[in-house]
Amino acid sequence: MKSSLAALADTAKQQTAMLKKIAKSQGVTVAEWQLLLKLLAGFDTQEKLAAEMQLDTSTLSRQLASLVKKEKLSKEAVGRDRRQLIYTVTPLGENAAAVINADYAKYEATIFDKWPQDEQNLLRILLNRLNKSVDRTLGD
């Protein structure tokens, strides 16, 4: 039997592979999908997004430009010097985010389909405890 951390790492790889597949079906990367979600939550400028997502501005700029090119976002220059950009998710971007969210929810439901609710709750509790333990070791 695998160790707990080895099993968790394998599960994370499988989950990441499925999430990439789901996002790709909508023509975006996982990072772009996460960016769409932040934009839909109201983080509409590069400054707000960079702070919220803890990304450097060059990485964020590339992702935003890619989403604009894919017509998932629109941008509008504002301010006196027109240098600040406000990003808005387009209907195409809203649809992509909604489909990815729904497909991911279906994937998760399929995984836990045969699990009783009390076992799902116990797993959440144990994973949160594991996460806190790992965080403590990183803080040393």
Side-chain angles (χ1 to χ4, degrees), residues 49-66:
L49 289 164
E52 174 66 17
M53 299 183 77
Q54 298 178 337
L55 290 173
D56 65 86
T57 54
S58 63
T59 300
L60 184 57
S61 291
R62 282 192 302 277
Q63 291 175 351
L64 289 167
S66 176

Side-chain angles (χ1 to χ4, degrees), residues 34-58:
Q34 292 170 334
L35 189 52
L36 284 172
L37 295 179
K38 292 298 182 186
L39 284 153
L40 288 168
F43 299 93
D44 59 356
T45 66
Q46 194 165 340
E47 289 172 340
K48 291 177 187 176
L49 289 164
E52 174 66 17
M53 299 183 77
Q54 298 178 337
L55 290 173
D56 65 86
T57 54
S58 63

